[in-house]
Amino acid sequence: MISLLLAGLVFAQLSSFEFDLINSPQTAGDSFLITIVAKTGTGDTFRYNFPGLLKTTRDDFWSYCEPQLIDFYQGVCRRKVRVSIADTLRLRCEANGVIGYSNQFRIVPNYPERLLVLCPGESIAPGSPEGKFSQPTSQIAGATFSIQVIMVDRWFNPVSFRSDMIYLTATDSFAQLTSGNLIDGRRVLPVTLRRAGVHRIYAFTDN
């Protein structure tokens, strides 16, 4: 008779994901290299060969990290990623109910690339595809209201230390518009639309 002694035999299991140090700061929209290692409870590399989900700790309505799905080979994921929102945050890797976090690091805005116009009822959403939350509220023809103009990068992150001269145009040819210099990358300007209907307001610089 042959008996098998299995007592004390321990099967290694995935216990954590460990990130290599991410340097700070990084630039919004620019790629940087990350390394994540799947670990067992004893600290050994777990031979994980499946995908993981990558997010930032700022993800809410949108995912600010690209790509969102990452692949591990023999327990290691080494690849370039990019983050679209300028903020101080961590990366978060999750798979099979196991979660790991990177060190905290800062993302700074990229080069200024566009102007964002916010009407009453709208708010800025840095790092998002459209750059805005909500919809503009209706206004009364002939009544003056204020808009905010913000200098932003390609991913709608505000860019400070800008004093460009801002001009406005509108699809209402009878609109009363003003101009002015940005103050630290922002400016509030009064607008009066005189024609009833749906209109657009555009901001531009002389650069």
Side-chain angles (χ1 to χ4, degrees):
M1 175 181 290
I2 300 176
S3 61
L4 297 178
L5 182 62
L6 297 180
L9 183 60
V10 177
F11 295 94
Q13 292 184 342
L14 176 64
S15 177
S16 64
F17 290 110
E18 295 185 6
F19 286 75
D20 279 5
L21 179 69
I22 298 175
N23 292 328
S24 181
Q26 301 290 338
T27 302
D30 287 356
S31 61
F32 57 94
L33 185 66
I34 65 168
T35 300
I36 310 172
V37 182
K39 295 284 189 174
T40 67
T42 57
D44 297 319
T45 299
F46 181 73
R47 305 300 179 185
Y48 187 72
N49 293 291
F50 299 96
L53 181 63
L54 189 65
K55 296 182 177 182
T56 77
T57 49
R58 275 296 314 275
D59 283 19
D60 39 41
F61 298 104
W62 295 280
S63 175
Y64 302 112
C65 187
E66 195 177 287
Q68 296 177 49
L69 284 178
I70 54 175
D71 292 320
F72 284 81
Y73 177 70
Q74 294 296 299
V76 179
C77 173
R78 183 177 290 108
R79 65 156 303 137
K80 288 189 174 182
V81 301
R82 61 182 185 178
V83 175
S84 61
I85 188 170
D87 202 350
T88 299
L89 45 73
R90 300 175 189 267
L91 294 183
R92 177 182 188 272
C93 179
E94 179 179 359
N96 288 352
V98 177
I99 300 173
Y101 293 90
S102 73
N103 59 293
Q104 185 169 277
F105 62 101
R106 187 163 62 98
I107 303 287
V108 298
N110 214 307
Y111 293 108
E113 190 161 309
R114 63 180 90 183
L115 294 171
L116 180 67
V117 177
L118 297 177
C119 294
E122 296 180 313
S123 56
I124 188 170
S128 70
E130 300 298 328
K132 299 180 182 181
F133 283 117
S134 305
Q135 296 292 325
T137 55
S138 297
Q139 303 297 318
I140 299 173
T144 300
F145 60 95
S146 296
I147 65 168
Q148 186 176 26
V149 182
I150 307 174
M151 181 73 76
V152 295
D153 64 16
R154 183 182 300 180
W155 296 271
F156 299 104
N157 295 295
V159 179
S160 303
F161 311 112
R162 298 290 300 214
S163 58
D164 308 59
M165 187 67 176
I166 300 299
Y167 304 92
L168 301 178
T169 62
T171 52
D172 176 3
S173 56
F174 299 101
Q176 182 178 339
L177 306 170
T178 57
S179 58
N181 288 89
L182 293 175
I183 301 173
D184 200 21
R186 298 171 181 256
R187 184 66 188 247
V188 175
L189 295 170
V191 172
T192 305
L193 299 177
R194 301 188 182 280
R195 294 180 61 183
V198 178
H199 296 287
R200 288 184 179 273
I201 301 169
Y202 301 92
F204 63 96
T205 71
D206 51 7
N207 293 334

